[in-house]
């Protein structure tokens, strides 16, 4: 009886926490589909706020997807070799470099953006390009690719696997593409999940670096809440969820699929 009572207490607490997190999201979604939020559902449901958001802010959604995918590609190209180099380096230097990689995460995003502006803001064409925002996103998300990949490499005893492959005559390229990459796919997928979600939702760095022609989804969302009707901002939130949730589910599914195969 005591165990059953404890179970129901834990279940009730879990349900309350879930409701605390989910109910605001549901209310926001309903507000974006309601004719008049202040009257409530009795005013009727409509998609005109979603259509209005798409008309005004569709470019921010496309730019956010473009940034997230470009950020993912760059963090893969930089992060996986960096994790491999850290694994091969001496432990003391590897730890020092690994901690240094976390600086963009520890430093406030506004400070990172200000540093980028001071360093590269005088290059006018670069400053006005979305590539400037991309640099900030890569700086912020790179540790989230390096850490899980490095952890998987260390857990799978990669050095011993490489030594075995080298003893059979495999060159560096064969070892890296045939041994290292396949054995750290789970870490790569975990890092990809973090990189994409953080890039899509990143606000502080983006707000400081964006221009009127280069607004991302979070910046447009803030603008819509500040200057438009509440229904517009809520409809924007709905579009954000429709974009990010399927992406997260897909990445999670790929991760679980790879884990089962290994």
């Amino acid at each position: 009886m005591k165990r059953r009572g404890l179970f129901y207490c834990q279940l009730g607490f879990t349900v309350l926490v879930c409701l605390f997190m989910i109910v605001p999201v549901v209310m926001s979604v309903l507000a974006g589909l309601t004719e008049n939020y202040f009257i409530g559902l009795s005013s009727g449901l409509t998609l005109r706020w979603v259509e209005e958001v798409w008309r005004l802010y569709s470019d921010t959604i496309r730019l956010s997807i473009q940034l997230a995918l470009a950020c993912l590609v760059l963090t893969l190209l930089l992060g996986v070799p960096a994790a491999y180099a850290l694994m091969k380096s001496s432990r003391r230097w590897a730890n020092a470099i690994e901690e240094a990689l976390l600086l963009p995460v520890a430093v406030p995003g506004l400070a990172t953006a200000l540093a980028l502006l001071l360093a590269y803001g005088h290059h006018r064409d670069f400053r006005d390009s979305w590539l400037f925002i991309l640099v900030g996103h890569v700086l912020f998300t790179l540790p989230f690719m390096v850490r899980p990949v490095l952890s998987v490499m260390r857990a799978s005893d990669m050095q011993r696997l490489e030594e075995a492959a080298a003893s059979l005559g495999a060159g560096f390229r064969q070892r890296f593409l045939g041994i290292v990459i396949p054995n750290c796919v789970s870490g790569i997928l975990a890092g990809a999940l973090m990189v994409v979600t953080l890039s899509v939702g990143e606000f502080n760095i983006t707000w400081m670096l964006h221009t009127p022609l280069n607004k991302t989804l979070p910046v447009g969302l803030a603008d819509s809440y500040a200057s438009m009707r509440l229904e517009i901002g809520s409809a924007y939130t709905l579009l954000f969820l429709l974009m990010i949730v399927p992406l997260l589910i897909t990445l999670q599914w790929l991760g679980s699929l790879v884990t089962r195969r290994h």
Side-chain angles (χ1 to χ4, degrees), residues 14 42 45 53 105 117 134 167 196-197 203 243 246:
T14 303
S42 59
L45 298 177
V53 166
V105 180
L117 284 171
L134 177 61
S167 67
V196 171
T197 53
F203 176 77
M243 184 184 76

Side-chain angles (χ1 to χ4, degrees), residues 94-116:
N95 287 337
I97 296 172
E98 188 177 348
E99 292 303 321
L101 282 173
L102 293 177
L103 283 177
V105 180
V107 175
L110 293 177
T112 302
L114 180 60
L116 289 173

Side-chain angles (χ1 to χ4, degrees), residues 179-250:
I179 301 296
V180 175
I181 297 298
N183 280 280
C184 62
V185 169
S186 60
I188 291 174
L189 287 173
L193 178 66
M194 293 296 297
V195 167
V196 171
T197 53
L198 289 172
S199 178
V200 171
E202 207 293 317
F203 176 77
N204 291 328
I205 294 175
T206 310
W207 183 80
M208 196 79 166
L209 299 181
H210 86 280
T211 65
L213 298 178
N214 288 324
K215 287 184 180 180
T216 63
L217 197 152
V219 176
L221 180 60
D223 288 347
S224 68
Y225 271 111
S227 59
M228 299 286 184
R229 291 183 55 144
L230 183 63
E231 293 88 349
I232 292 287
S234 298
Y236 208 143
T237 303
L238 173 59
L239 286 178
F240 179 86
L241 293 173
L242 290 176
M243 184 184 76
I244 196 66
V245 170
L247 185 60
L248 293 179
I249 293 174
T250 301

Side-chain angles (χ1 to χ4, degrees), residues 18 37 53 128 134 141-142 145 150 160 163 190 198 218 224:
C18 291
Y37 172 75
V53 166
D128 294 337
L134 177 61
T141 59
L142 185 60
M145 178 61 73
L150 182 59
R160 184 173 298 179
E163 289 173 1
L198 289 172
S224 68

Side-chain angles (χ1 to χ4, degrees), residues 70-197:
C71 185
L72 176 59
V73 170
L74 287 178
T75 52
L76 283 172
L77 293 176
L78 297 173
V80 176
Y84 178 77
L86 289 173
M87 182 198 67
K88 302 288 283 187
S89 302
S90 63
R91 192 75 178 183
R92 182 174 58 184
W93 286 108
N95 287 337
I97 296 172
E98 188 177 348
E99 292 303 321
L101 282 173
L102 293 177
L103 283 177
V105 180
V107 175
L110 293 177
T112 302
L114 180 60
L116 289 173
L117 284 171
L118 292 175
Y120 307 111
H122 57 281
H123 298 289
R124 188 63 177 272
D125 293 338
F126 184 50
R127 172 69 183 90
D128 294 337
S129 170
W130 65 274
L131 296 175
F132 195 44
I133 303 175
L134 177 61
V135 172
H137 282 211
V138 171
L139 281 176
F140 178 66
T141 59
L142 185 60
F144 297 95
M145 178 61 73
V146 174
R147 273 295 179 91
V149 173
L150 182 59
S151 298
V152 171
M153 286 182 177
R154 287 172 175 168
S156 59
D157 200 5
M158 194 68 68
Q159 290 187 350
R160 184 173 298 179
L161 292 174
E162 275 199 283
E163 289 173 1
S167 67
L168 295 174
F172 171 75
R173 182 177 179 182
Q174 289 177 304
R175 297 197 307 271
F176 188 77
L177 297 179
I179 301 296
V180 175
I181 297 298
N183 280 280
C184 62
V185 169
S186 60
I188 291 174
L189 287 173
L193 178 66
M194 293 296 297
V195 167
V196 171
T197 53

